[in-house]
Amino acid sequence: MSERFAYVNGEILAETEASVSIRDMGLVYGDSVFDTARTFGGILFKLAEHVDRLLDSLAYARIDAGMSRAEFIDATERLVAANLPMLRDGEDYWVTIRVTSGLQSFDGEPARNTGATVVIDCIPIPLRARAPFFKHGIEARIAERCRIAPQAISPNAKTNNYLNMILAQKEISAAYPGAWALMPDQNGNLAEGAGCNFFVVKDGEVMTPATEFVLAGVSRQVVSDLCRDLGIPLRETDLPLETALQAQEAFFTSTSLCACPVASLNGHAFSSGVPGPVTQRIMDGFAQVAGMDYVAQYLNFLSDSVPGTGL
């Protein structure tokens, strides 16, 4: 069996058999939320935390999933177990739960919407595309397009409408192939990368934008806990570009990247190398929490190809 499975509304099906309606509100209006965990060595990491955040997003979007926290966890664990035989050597999965508000209804017709649509799937983490980031660091470039203001849509609700970030990444990719988009907030301070949180290290202190303007990432929280445990000062604060350029180190965090060094920002190279000493301590600590040398996993797939975000 070489085809992966997906979970759709209570059933685990082969991916080629899994489908949703063209009238699904997630497709029609983007009325949907999601959350993505990952595996390390085939074992799910921080799944409960991802499901808790999914439940928060569902409440924000006013979507009744018709499933409990325990049911989401059980369905996800069963799907990953079904897909483990298809996991290639040295690789791991992104595991995404998506929930939409169900089917669109039409005036004068019987109601079609019988409840939410729940889809869970597994896809390989883009280790090949992202491996160069762990060798050379990430080239970050600030996009002209700002992050959606929290007064419009909370950055802490993970909605399936990623167009804001996708357009920012397309803008940067067109001008700087292989670079990663970093978006400002509506006040001009640095917010978050496309799909990841941003940190700088200045004079031994780690700084990161506050969750008023950025997603409270699960990996971001791992780093926060590590800084506390390692005695590294951490501050959530507005992060102007000038402050970031005065830093000696920078890194991104995300579910797949964990913690990954940023080599430069808008062409300005950070002075402490790739990775800098504080970033290295955090990366080492993250590997211990994950129970796996994730950097070595990435570097095992290193090639001379142009890096890519996978977005």
Side-chain angles (χ1 to χ4, degrees), residues 6-302:
Y7 172 101
V8 182
N9 291 338
E11 293 186 88
I12 293 180
L13 308 165
E15 282 191 357
T16 53
E17 299 175 6
S19 63
V20 296
S21 170
I22 64 168
R23 300 301 178 195
D24 191 274
M25 291 288 283
L27 174 64
V28 175
Y29 288 123
D31 185 6
S32 54
V33 301
F34 79 102
D35 217 293
T36 300
R38 68 158 288 172
T39 63
F40 288 103
I43 299 172
L44 281 158
F45 181 68
K46 300 284 185 182
L47 176 61
E49 288 83 348
H50 283 284
V51 169
D52 286 342
R53 191 170 60 182
L54 175 75
L55 295 174
D56 289 342
S57 295
L58 285 166
Y60 177 85
R62 301 186 181 185
I63 297 174
D64 180 3
M67 291 176 66
S68 68
R69 179 179 188 269
E71 288 171 328
F72 274 121
I73 291 173
D74 176 69
T76 305
E77 290 176 338
R78 287 190 290 114
L79 180 68
V80 170
N83 280 319
L84 283 181
M86 279 68 76
L87 189 59
R88 295 172 295 193
D89 287 346
E91 297 198 30
D92 271 297
Y93 284 136
W94 263 329
V95 185
T96 300
I97 308 170
R98 295 182 176 87
V99 185
T100 85
S101 62
L103 299 184
Q104 184 181 25
S105 296
F106 297 98
D107 184 52
E109 296 184 6
R112 300 183 180 200
N113 198 334
T114 57
T117 299
V118 179
V119 176
I120 311 173
D121 71 335
C122 300
I123 61 172
I125 292 172
L127 298 169
R128 294 163 185 80
R130 295 181 173 185
F133 296 140
F134 288 90
K135 176 70 172 179
H136 308 293
I138 293 172
E139 177 191 357
R141 292 278 176 173
I142 300 174
E144 292 185 8
R145 186 178 304 276
C146 72
R147 191 73 174 93
I148 293 174
Q151 296 88 341
I153 298 178
S154 169
N156 286 287
K158 283 185 71 72
T159 72
N160 264 39
N161 190 336
Y162 247 40
L163 191 58
N164 178 232
M165 291 187 181
I166 293 296
L167 288 175
Q169 187 57 54
K170 286 181 176 180
E171 170 198 327
I172 295 303
S173 295
Y176 306 99
W180 204 302
L182 179 57
M183 305 177 72
D185 64 28
Q186 75 271 24
N187 299 317
N189 296 310
L190 301 182
E192 56 191 342
C196 55
N197 290 118
F198 181 60
F199 295 76
V200 299
V201 184
K202 184 175 184 290
D203 301 329
E205 180 185 39
V206 176
M207 292 182 284
T208 193
T211 54
E212 178 185 358
F213 299 105
V214 304
L215 178 71
V218 172
S219 296
R220 179 183 184 274
Q221 185 60 49
V222 171
V223 167
S224 177
D225 294 342
L226 283 169
C227 286
R228 179 197 63 219
D229 296 343
L230 295 171
I232 300 171
L234 171 66
R235 179 160 52 105
E236 293 188 11
T237 182
D238 287 341
L239 194 57
L241 173 60
E242 293 78 10
T243 300
L245 293 178
Q246 292 168 4
Q248 293 85 39
E249 307 174 43
F251 59 93
F252 278 144
T253 63
S254 76
T255 294
S256 56
L257 289 174
C258 303
C260 182
V262 172
S264 64
L265 175 59
N266 275 16
H268 168 81
F270 291 101
S271 61
S272 289
V274 178
V278 175
T279 303
Q280 185 67 68
R281 290 180 67 196
I282 289 169
M283 292 170 66
D284 291 344
F286 206 121
Q288 288 187 334
V289 173
M292 179 178 168
D293 187 345
Y294 69 91
V295 175
Q297 180 185 39
Y298 271 100
L299 293 179
N300 189 49
F301 293 92
L302 183 65

